[in-house]
Amino acid sequence: MIEPVTNLICPLDQQPLQQHDMSWRCNSGHSYDIAKQGYVNLLPVQKKRSKDPGDSKAMIQARRRFLSQGFYQPLAEQVAALTLADDASSLLDAGCGEGYYLQQLIQAAERQGQSLQVAGLDISKWAVQAAAKQDKRATWMVASNRAMPLADNSVDTLLCLFGFPAEAEFERVLKPGGRLIMVDPASNHLNELKQIIYPEVKAKPEQLPVNESRWSLTQEQRISYTVTLPDNDTIRDLLVMTPHLYRSSQAGRERAEGLTTLDVTVDVWLRTFCKQ
């Protein structure tokens, strides 16, 4: 059975939130409406760093089109298998985006008859809107990894997939013995695209995404395969959905616009960490 995570806290005073019909409220009187799409915005205006933080609507739409073609399906299956291999009962996807990986995981749990409490959060309201439309049983929140509106020791598995780890917050919300599962780009990830849009591709040193003094690496797997992007629209969607769109030069983007097909490498690290 798939159920929502319910131990939310108020982003203003950290008091427990209770759901009343179509809103979440704390004892101090703060109230947060549940949108018609099925999510709650727990990112107060005073805590925003920009008017529209996170991925834009165009990035989310491009990512949905790209992922719907199955290019990252092998990765999604590995994430689901790893997550469900242990007895996960409560799960938070921190930086859930449009919900692709969490939706795949929910479907895998259902096939296995595994019960799971599920929540996803992202700082982009466009991402959370798209995610909430897919499955009303999960708790979907607009919120920041730096101030997650979840109680201490409230989830036993935390996903951070292509995201930004807020280590102190991750430690706070994870139960004792809980797991942090991360996906991060490896050295050859999307290398063929980078060679087209950048004048020079610089190799980055391989390093763990979290502080080794605070986290123990318990599992590590490198997933690498090649996919063929069949047309320019798909190539453009891949570029738009990544930060490379803003980092590349005008000349690089024009070179990408001239492509009709592209073989590109998916190369990522899938790791599990536990709190020290």
Side-chain angles (χ1 to χ4, degrees):
M1 180 181 294
I2 306 301
E3 296 180 315
V5 169
T6 57
N7 42 5
L8 308 187
I9 61 173
C10 177
L12 295 176
D13 59 15
Q14 288 70 57
Q15 295 295 312
L17 289 173
Q18 291 86 34
Q19 186 173 353
H20 299 271
D21 296 324
M22 293 300 292
S23 66
W24 289 87
R25 302 174 191 167
C26 73
N27 289 336
S28 301
H30 302 123
S31 182
Y32 307 91
D33 291 338
I34 299 173
K36 63 180 180 180
Q37 294 91 344
Y39 71 93
V40 59
N41 193 327
L42 296 175
L43 183 65
V45 173
Q46 57 267 43
K47 293 191 177 183
K48 289 184 179 181
R49 297 188 176 185
S50 65
K51 185 178 180 180
D52 191 17
D55 291 346
S56 67
K57 188 175 184 178
M59 291 178 74
I60 297 304
Q61 291 173 336
R63 189 174 294 120
R64 289 190 68 186
R65 289 191 297 265
F66 182 88
L67 293 174
S68 69
Q69 297 185 64
F71 299 117
Y72 282 13
Q73 182 69 27
L75 172 58
E77 291 174 355
Q78 290 289 334
V79 170
L82 176 63
T83 303
L84 299 176
D86 288 344
D87 292 329
S89 60
S90 55
L91 169 74
L92 169 68
D93 188 351
C96 63
E98 70 302 315
Y100 173 75
Y101 296 100
L102 193 51
Q103 184 64 24
Q104 297 288 319
L105 197 154
I106 287 172
Q107 292 172 0
E110 287 184 310
R111 288 193 296 269
Q112 298 178 23
Q114 190 165 340
S115 295
L116 200 60
Q117 290 185 317
V118 183
L121 69 79
D122 201 283
I123 200 169
S124 166
K125 70 174 182 181
W126 306 111
V128 177
Q129 281 181 2
K133 291 177 181 179
Q134 298 181 52
D135 199 309
K136 303 301 183 186
R137 295 168 296 176
T139 298
W140 300 104
M141 301 167 280
V142 178
S144 169
N145 280 1
R146 294 185 177 91
M148 296 193 290
L150 286 174
D152 296 357
N153 306 317
S154 57
V155 295
D156 54 33
T157 302
L158 198 155
L159 302 180
C160 183
L161 312 177
F162 296 107
F164 302 97
E167 296 185 52
E169 276 292 87
F170 286 5
E171 290 180 60
R172 181 183 66 79
V173 302
L174 274 176
K175 296 177 182 177
R179 299 174 298 161
L180 168 61
I181 296 175
M182 298 192 67
V183 169
D184 295 286
S187 56
N188 294 323
H189 188 55
L190 306 183
N191 205 42
E192 297 84 356
L193 178 64
K194 294 176 187 175
Q195 290 173 349
I196 291 166
I197 62 174
Y198 297 125
E200 180 183 3
V201 178
K202 297 181 180 179
K204 294 183 178 180
E206 294 279 5
Q207 61 185 35
L208 293 179
V210 291
N211 191 326
E212 293 178 72
S213 67
R214 300 169 68 171
W215 300 89
S216 296
L217 177 65
T218 60
Q219 181 275 345
E220 183 177 61
Q221 176 185 0
R222 188 167 183 171
I223 300 170
S224 186
Y225 58 93
T226 301
V227 297
T228 298
L229 309 186
D231 51 47
N232 183 261
D233 285 344
T234 305
I235 297 168
R236 185 186 303 115
D237 280 343
L238 176 59
L239 183 57
V240 171
M241 77 183 222
T242 68
H244 298 300
L245 176 67
Y246 305 103
R247 297 172 183 167
S248 59
S249 65
Q250 178 66 31
R253 292 191 292 272
E254 289 175 355
R255 287 193 295 270
E257 280 293 331
L259 298 174
T260 57
T261 185
L262 180 66
D263 290 337
V264 67
T265 301
V266 177
D267 184 30
V268 300
W269 290 106
L270 174 58
R271 300 182 174 107
T272 303
F273 298 90
C274 289
K275 292 190 291 185
Q276 291 277 27

